[in-house]
């Protein structure tokens, strides 16, 4: 319950302290194929990569502000479609304001591969870290930690 409250506070701060950055949508740095490369659990030492992960997954981020998410688990493939927007949130660092870029994926329909903290939410939030990796926020509410790199 405590983690759910924390994620709600984080999401509320994202909406209250962010600015939409429409000019980022056309930024080639973010568009393209992002592949899941690491999955972590809540227990120490529960880190998996490559074929050891429970599933394989990609996001295709298109310049027209649409995306395709594909998950392959065994013989099953699930595809989800939707749109996305970018926001930047300012965090106070030790000596300056650090900006974190978030991407909000809005799915067209309910789907089993939506990694969200909200019950029956059609929205996922991921952010770009300083190592140019795309990181899921799902682990804030007991989901797995998911890390993607651009291919």
């Amino acid at each position: 319950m405590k983690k759910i409250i924390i994620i709600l506070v984080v999401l509320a701060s994202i909406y209250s302290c962010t600015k939409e950055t429409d000019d980022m949508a056309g930024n080639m740095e973010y568009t393209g194929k992002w592949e899941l490369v690491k999955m972590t659990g809540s227990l120490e030492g529960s880190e998996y990569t490559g074929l050891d992960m429970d599933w394989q997954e990609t996001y295709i981020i298109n310049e027209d502000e649409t995306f395709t998410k594909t998950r392959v688990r065994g013989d099953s493939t699930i595809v989800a479609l939707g749109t996305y927007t970018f926001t930047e949130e300012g965090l106070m660092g030790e000596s300056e304001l650090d900006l974190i870029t978030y991407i909000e994926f809005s799915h067209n329909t309910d789907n089993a591969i939506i990694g969200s903290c909200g019950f029956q939410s059609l929205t996922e939030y991921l952010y770009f870290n300083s190592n140019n990796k795309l990181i899921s926020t799902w682990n804030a509410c007991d989901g797995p930690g998911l890390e993607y790199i651009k291919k």
Side-chain angles (χ1 to χ4, degrees), residues 47-116:
E47 181 177 299
Y48 304 96
T49 59
L51 296 176
D52 291 333
M53 295 185 296
D54 285 347
W55 63 78
Q56 305 300 305
E57 189 166 84
T58 59
Y59 284 94
I60 305 291
I61 301 174
N62 301 305
E63 289 183 52
D64 66 355
E65 299 180 17
T66 63
F67 73 91
T68 303
K69 181 178 182 180
T70 305
R71 180 180 292 173
V72 177
R73 186 179 216 164
D75 293 337
S76 174
T77 299
I78 302 173
V79 177
L81 305 171
T83 60
Y84 66 87
T85 57
F86 288 104
T87 58
E88 286 184 339
E89 179 179 355
L91 299 176
M92 292 301 294
E94 290 182 14
S95 61
E96 61 186 57
L97 184 67
D98 295 323
L99 291 177
I100 295 178
T101 302
Y102 285 89
I103 185 167
E104 177 182 323
F105 291 105
S106 298
H107 292 259
N108 292 342
T109 59
D110 192 18
N111 199 306
I113 65 173
I114 299 173
S116 175

Side-chain angles (χ1 to χ4, degrees), residues 138-151:
W138 194 14
N139 64 329
C141 55
D142 295 330
L146 304 174
E147 185 175 297
Y148 303 81
I149 62 170
K150 188 172 180 185
K151 290 292 186 169

